[in-house]
């Protein structure tokens, strides 16, 4: 679904996502991460990405859980011992750190769902093709490769089932042979299409001259103001982080979860203001349409 963030200049929207990724990794504090996650989920729902988030959770809940569980199993630092697993002590600090890492990873996954809806292949090439056409094209193909690979494998599997080649039934050796056959067909089809794409791009003179764009993007006053205010907020957050604010003390002893210092509260407001930028744009558009009636 097209939102207000889709209508801004690609430089503005790309800088927004870079900033949100940076903030999600900088502030490993439960209040920061939970608030960011709620805002990002709300914006994805505005983008009608609910089904994509559901599929993402189905596919990645194991990795998210593993991040939260493996850290206390491998890291025994901390002063609050919860219990012993064998001879290994499990500490409260290691458990909290694992949960924070899982929250940060979840934020990044949600961000990339929204990113794929806003930064299209045209916008990506518009941003980077003039800097390095080959690298931009290779990056775009790589990003597009995984979902295309999955869709193509699903199609090939359905077709091969009509010929009796399937991996769901039969002996292990037969299923492994069928799986290798499907992968072989998938690789041949993908390489053949990649060669055709490369020949087509070479015939069109891709990368020989300065590349023009089919779509034109206007860099207007809204983009200028967004970049200025966004840069000020982001730099303020980074400076606050470098001075030790917005951070939960974990080792050697777990600190308080509350944000008692005014500097921490201010950093939280600035961070949420930056992350809420697409929702602010949506609200502005709604107000504008309301007053136009």
């Amino acid at each position: 679904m097209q939102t207000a963030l889709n209508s801004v200049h690609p430089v503005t929207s790309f800088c927004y996502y870079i900033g949100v990724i940076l903030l999600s990794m900088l502030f490993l504090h439960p209040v920061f991460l939970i608030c960011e996650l709620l805002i990002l989920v709300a914006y994805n729902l505005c983008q009608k990405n609910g089904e994509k988030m559901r599929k993402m959770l189905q596919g990645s809940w194991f990795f998210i859980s593993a991040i939260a569980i493996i850290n206390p199993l491998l890291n025994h630092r901390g002063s609050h011992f919860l219990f012993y697993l064998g001879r290994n002590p499990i500490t409260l600090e290691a458990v909290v750190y694992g949960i924070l890492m899982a929250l940060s990873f979840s934020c990044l996954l949600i961000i990339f769902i929204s990113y794929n809806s806003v930064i299209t292949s045209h916008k990506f090439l518009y941003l980077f093709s003039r800097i390095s056409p080959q690298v931009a094209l290779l990056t775009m193909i790589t990003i597009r490769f995984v979902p295309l690979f999955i869709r193509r494998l699903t199609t090939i599997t359905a077709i091969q089932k009509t010929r009796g080649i399937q991996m769901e039934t039969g002996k292990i050796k037969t299923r492994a042979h069928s799986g290798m056959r499907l992968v072989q067909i998938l690789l041949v089809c993908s390489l053949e299409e990649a060669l055709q794409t490369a020949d087509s791009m070479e015939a069109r003179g891709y990368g020989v001259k300065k590349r023009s764009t089919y779509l034109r993007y206007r860099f207007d006053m809204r983009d200028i103001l967004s970049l200025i205010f966004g840069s000020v907020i982001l730099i303020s957050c980074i400076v606050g982080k470098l001075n030790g604010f917005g951070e939960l003390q974990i080792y050697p002893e777990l600190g308080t979860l509350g944000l008692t210092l005014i500097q921490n509260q201010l950093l939280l407001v600035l961070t949420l203001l930056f992350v809420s930028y697409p929702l602010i744009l949506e609200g502005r558009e709604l107000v504008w349409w309301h007053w136009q009636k």
Side-chain angles (χ1 to χ4, degrees), residues 32-33 41 43-44 51 53 58 87 99 110-111 117 144 155 182 185 188 193 204 242 245:
F32 280 74
L33 289 173
V41 169
Y43 180 57
N44 271 279
E51 183 64 20
M53 285 194 293
Q58 284 183 344
R87 295 183 178 179
I99 293 173
I110 300 291
I111 290 168
S117 300
R144 179 173 169 267
T155 305
L182 293 176
I185 296 170
V188 169
E193 187 174 314
R204 295 177 185 180
L242 293 177
F245 299 110

Side-chain angles (χ1 to χ4, degrees), residues 32-45:
F32 280 74
L33 289 173
I34 291 173
C35 292
E36 287 176 25
L37 189 62
L38 291 176
I39 293 172
L40 291 170
V41 169
Y43 180 57
N44 271 279
L45 291 176

